[in-house]
Amino acid sequence: MSDDLITGDDVPAELLELAAAHGVLTEHHTFAGGTERVRASTLVAVLEALGVPAATPQQITHSLQRARDEEWRSVLPPTVVVRQGEETRVPVHVTDGASVHVWTEVDGAEPTARLSQHRPRRDLEQVDAFVEPRTVDGRRVGRATFVVPADLLELPPAVAEGQVWGFLVQLYSVRSRTSWGLGDLADLADLAWLTAHRAKGDFVAVNPLAAAEPVTPMTPSPYLPTSRRFLNPVYVRVEDIPETAYLSAADRSLVEWAADPVRELTEDPGPIDRDAVWEAKKAALDVVFTAPRRAARQAAYEEFVEEQGKGLRDFATWCAIAEHLAGKEWPRELSDPGSAAVAALREELAERVEFYCWLQWVADEQKHTAQRVAREAGMAVGIMHDLPVGVHPEGADAWAHQDVLARGVSVGAPPDMYNQQGQNWSQPPWNPRALARAGYVPYRDMLRTVLRHAGALRVDHILGLFRLWWVPGGAKASEGAYVRYDHEALVGILCLEAHRAGAIVVGEDLGVYEPWVRDYLADRGILGTSVLWFEKDDDGRPLPPEKYRRMTLASVGTHDMPPTAGYLAGEHVDLRERLGLLTEDPQVLRQRARLERDTAVRTLAERGLVGDDPSEREIVEALHRYLRRSRAAMVGVQLVDAVGERRSQNQPGTDQEYPNWKVPLGDAAGNVVLVEDLFDNARLRSLVQALNTAR
């Protein structure tokens, strides 16, 4: 074996074994139906990112031996996932011949679950399952096996019978006349109430509201946040903070002066200017922050800070430092959140750290209000929030959790039909080995905060809880490899935290996946995602509605595609051609798009949903009635479809080439549609009627 493993096409056998031992897949299926082997250089880079040296034959041999002994070095596995109704065996490693006693303690955080025999502690029974001891690091280690009983915990199902529908919304784009140039949490509460009362919808699903940079320029993509756990205060409605009522006349004038210029942007059909909005809101929020709080309000704030703990303090510290440095490169001594330099600067910036803690509190309060309004209006679900797959590589989470994130690689996706060059999302992935050693605490804490005041949670690219496409630094998006995760742990923790919050979970399970994954998620009570344009029968026709999965959220399209009106017109081909994103002949793709449209219309006609020569509006409504006749538990209706919008919200594979995540809600002519006018919109009213009579 050569010392240089990066060159050459042959992958040494020991490198293949080492990759397999650490969950790195050495080959994968392509969207065209073939199989592609991973290059040796990619395997080496991915293993190095996992903390496994593999650059030379000697390193590979040494790392392989460590992998074989790794589980024997720990007394207990870092995490054990127990399924309701199933016994679980747990290996315990001790010095060979030593006695061992194992028990469980229930933390009491499952208020609606039934704890077996009402005992917070239970001794576990050892079973006879002999495993040959082995010598590890000069010590003879034996294995004892204990059983966690099947009746430890019982969790009720979260998904009710029947079907509910709701709107899928990019919140920033849905503005009202009282917005500050960008849709906010007050607009969300109003939209939820109106949807319940005027449309009989049961949920409103929004884009991720996760935190962005505290200073401009603000990353426009809600799927590239600085933190997945905490909220973006750009969505705060300043006037709804109770302390604004106690501002002096002079301070109230400062708030109004900040609002006036950005309120004028609300009816601007051009790209949304997040930076202008945040600069204005931040100036106003600085003023409101200085207002005195009543004793009960102060106590509530302090309880929130204590509950969110170190995670909130670290996030607020990062925000304060980022603001302090104002875009300058961070000194090396500030790269470690536990360093003395960071501690000193945290003390120096104590007031700004508190400001950013306070921002999270007021955002959390308004998030809670939106969910309360939705449920009180009669919604069965309420607000569905969205969890991005990763975070900005230079953001707060990457800084605070660098011990459990992989470096030198980023998350992406291999080539597929709609992104034929693959995707690189520039996000550092969880390091599965390090995350397990940490007992999944960062993951659990994130979920617990995100699920606060949520009726449901959509998990973007939930397939990433099983495996993620890792792209080494400097490589093309197509030159990556899949890395497996402990899905039993990740999905189990997700289910438990959702149960604690009383929330439904929807997993975005589109793309390349292994056949068993969807069944596994459904078995765990997690809904999948069905997109009409992707659901085909064996003849390439739209899948009949009676054959849709029950455990799914069905929609016509996605936010990464043009709205239905644009898709019917072939905009998904035209836009990618204009932006140079195609690898196939555009004319061939246009013919394919026309055939897809014509086939869909014929299918609708066969079911009596459209007549001869239907209009665009009639086709859009018929497609949604088609989904309402399906077995799907939930049907999502993109708000852009309800008003006839044709422009894409996002074009994957682009950055500055297209105004991604900046398109305000508009009608077929591009005129801005505000919240106050939504439910008087003739096209929306017609679609709502179609939805509510289709069943």
Side-chain angles (χ1 to χ4, degrees):
M1 191 190 314
S2 168
D3 281 344
D4 187 359
L5 300 178
I6 296 177
T7 60
D9 296 329
D10 293 335
V11 180
E14 278 203 333
L15 180 56
L16 291 173
E17 184 180 352
L18 182 62
H22 290 287
V24 183
L25 275 64
T26 58
E27 62 181 28
H28 60 272
H29 296 292
T30 67
F31 76 96
T35 300
E36 186 168 318
R37 293 188 175 182
V38 179
R39 300 166 57 189
S41 58
T42 298
L43 294 177
V44 170
V46 168
L47 285 166
E48 293 280 352
L50 284 166
V52 181
T56 67
Q58 292 78 11
Q59 287 183 345
I60 291 172
T61 299
H62 179 71
S63 295
L64 192 54
Q65 185 58 50
R66 286 195 62 83
R68 290 166 180 158
D69 293 339
E70 188 167 16
E71 67 172 323
W72 289 77
R73 290 188 169 88
S74 300
V75 175
L76 287 167
T79 301
V80 176
V81 175
V82 179
R83 284 217 212 178
Q84 175 181 316
E86 295 182 8
E87 287 189 347
T88 303
R89 295 195 169 195
V90 181
V92 181
H93 298 105
V94 294
T95 301
D96 188 28
S99 61
V100 59
H101 177 209
V102 180
W103 68 92
T104 65
E105 293 182 1
V106 179
D107 67 7
E110 288 77 22
T112 62
R114 296 193 298 275
L115 303 181
S116 176
Q117 301 177 27
H118 303 285
R119 292 193 302 173
R121 170 172 169 156
R122 291 185 66 175
D123 293 330
L124 300 188
E125 180 182 349
Q126 185 174 355
V127 296
D128 186 8
F130 178 76
V131 177
E132 186 68 33
R134 73 168 63 187
T135 301
V136 179
D137 301 330
R139 181 172 69 105
R140 192 70 171 166
V141 178
R143 172 180 291 177
T145 303
F146 288 78
V147 172
V148 179
D151 64 346
L152 184 68
L153 188 66
E154 297 178 31
L155 306 181
V159 180
E161 293 298 321
Q163 183 189 85
V164 295
W165 77 269
F167 284 122
L168 311 178
V169 174
Q170 299 296 314
L171 181 58
Y172 56 84
S173 73
V174 185
R175 306 177 291 189
S176 65
R177 290 183 175 85
T178 50
S179 299
W180 291 34
L182 178 142
D184 59 30
L185 287 159
D187 294 321
L188 176 59
D190 287 349
L191 179 60
W193 192 94
L194 290 166
T195 298
H197 281 271
R198 302 281 297 274
K200 297 182 173 61
D202 275 308
F203 66 90
V204 172
V206 294
N207 58 279
L209 306 185
E213 298 86 349
V215 294
T216 57
M218 181 178 286
T219 300
S221 173
Y223 291 93
L224 188 60
T226 65
S227 172
R228 291 197 287 172
R229 177 176 175 181
F230 297 106
L231 291 165
N232 189 343
V234 78
Y235 292 110
V236 167
R237 177 66 66 88
V238 177
E239 297 91 333
D240 284 3
I241 302 172
E243 281 69 38
T244 57
Y246 303 104
L247 292 174
S248 67
D251 283 345
R252 194 168 301 148
S253 295
L254 292 175
V255 171
E256 287 299 318
W257 290 340
D260 287 343
V262 288
R263 280 209 186 106
E264 295 175 359
L265 300 175
T266 298
E267 299 191 51
D268 186 341
I272 290 171
D273 190 345
R274 278 180 179 77
D275 291 347
V277 172
W278 177 234
E279 293 284 5
K281 282 197 175 181
K282 187 177 179 183
L285 290 164
D286 272 326
V287 174
V288 179
F289 173 62
T290 64
R293 293 185 280 276
R294 302 192 313 271
R297 295 266 303 158
Q298 179 64 26
Y301 165 62
E302 291 171 357
E303 286 178 7
F304 173 81
V305 172
E306 181 178 0
E307 179 182 346
Q308 295 301 310
K310 182 177 182 296
L312 176 60
R313 290 192 295 274
D314 283 348
F315 170 76
T317 299
W318 180 88
C319 289
I321 295 174
E323 178 186 68
H324 176 70
L325 294 176
K328 298 176 184 176
E329 185 175 349
W330 285 44
R332 183 181 298 274
E333 60 269 21
L334 297 180
S335 63
D336 179 3
S339 70
V342 168
L345 195 53
R346 179 188 286 123
E347 184 174 349
E348 179 184 335
L349 302 174
E351 185 175 347
R352 298 310 290 169
V353 172
E354 185 180 355
F355 172 69
Y356 285 107
C357 287
W358 173 81
L359 283 182
Q360 288 305 306
W361 177 58
V362 296
D364 181 79
E365 282 196 319
Q366 294 188 8
K367 178 185 176 185
H368 173 256
T369 298
Q371 175 64 2
R372 176 180 54 79
V373 168
R375 293 304 302 271
E376 289 178 355
M379 283 188 162
V381 177
I383 309 301
M384 181 186 299
H385 289 277
D386 198 340
L387 179 67
V389 69
V391 294
H392 196 290
E394 298 176 0
D397 281 2
W399 179 73
H401 299 313
Q402 53 193 272
D403 55 332
V404 292
L405 292 174
R407 295 293 177 173
V409 292
S410 60
V411 176
D416 60 29
M417 179 64 71
Y418 292 91
N419 303 281
Q420 297 177 8
Q421 299 174 19
Q423 299 178 65
N424 186 335
W425 303 328
S426 73
Q427 300 164 338
W430 291 119
N431 181 328
R433 291 157 46 83
L435 191 60
R437 287 194 297 268
Y440 296 93
V441 169
Y443 174 69
R444 181 200 66 199
D445 289 347
M446 175 194 68
L447 290 174
R448 201 166 285 180
T449 300
V450 170
L451 283 161
R452 286 170 63 90
H453 324 310
L457 179 67
R458 174 189 178 273
V459 180
D460 189 43
H461 194 59
I462 199 168
L463 303 175
L465 302 185
F466 297 81
R467 64 181 190 181
L468 271 177
W469 183 255
W470 286 23
V471 182
K476 297 178 182 178
S478 59
E479 297 174 345
Y482 280 112
V483 175
R484 289 196 183 279
Y485 287 77
D486 184 348
H487 61 273
E488 284 284 348
L490 292 173
V491 175
I493 293 168
L494 171 62
C495 291
L496 181 59
E497 294 302 333
H499 164 72
R500 285 170 164 168
I504 295 169
V505 178
V506 177
E508 189 266 298
D509 56 359
L510 305 176
V512 181
Y513 60 90
E514 296 168 290
W516 60 272
V517 166
R518 284 184 163 179
D519 291 337
Y520 175 90
L521 290 171
D523 184 55
R524 304 307 303 272
I526 295 176
L527 277 67
T529 301
S530 293
V531 176
L532 184 145
W533 296 118
F534 303 159
E535 297 285 350
K536 310 285 188 183
D537 64 16
D538 294 339
D539 297 323
R541 293 167 57 88
L543 187 71
E546 58 271 13
K547 293 189 177 180
Y548 270 62
R549 293 176 289 160
R550 163 65 186 160
M551 294 290 291
T552 190
L553 165 65
S555 64
V556 175
T558 79
H559 59 246
D560 287 333
M561 303 164 62
T564 303
Y567 194 84
L568 291 168
E571 179 63 17
H572 53 300
V573 178
D574 296 343
L575 178 59
R576 287 184 293 153
E577 182 185 19
R578 291 196 299 270
L579 298 174
L581 299 176
L582 298 179
T583 59
E584 294 185 63
D585 184 343
Q587 292 307 315
V588 171
L589 294 176
R590 285 194 180 89
Q591 291 173 4
R592 193 180 298 163
R594 282 195 292 271
L595 176 62
E596 182 181 39
R597 177 193 185 279
D598 293 345
T599 302
V601 172
R602 281 198 302 273
T603 301
L604 296 173
E606 290 168 1
R607 291 181 174 261
L609 296 173
V610 294
D612 296 334
D613 194 23
S615 67
E616 173 192 286
R617 178 186 60 79
E618 289 172 330
I619 297 173
V620 171
E621 291 180 5
L623 290 168
H624 286 90
R625 290 205 305 273
Y626 189 87
L627 290 182
R628 284 287 275 160
R629 295 183 179 182
S630 74
R631 300 173 61 244
M634 305 179 81
V635 169
V637 180
Q638 295 187 90
L639 191 58
V640 287
D641 284 348
V643 295
E645 173 70 90
R646 301 171 72 91
R647 298 168 296 176
S648 297
Q649 283 293 326
N650 177 54
Q651 175 53 58
T654 63
D655 182 19
Q656 302 298 318
E657 303 91 337
Y658 185 81
N660 293 323
W661 315 112
K662 298 178 182 178
V663 179
L665 182 67
D667 60 19
N671 300 311
V672 171
V673 179
L674 301 179
V675 172
E676 293 90 342
D677 306 321
L678 259 177
F679 292 87
D680 294 323
N681 181 285
R683 188 152 176 167
L684 183 144
R685 290 165 67 94
S686 181
L687 178 57
V688 165
Q689 183 179 13
L691 287 162
N692 287 330
T693 58
R695 295 284 284 180

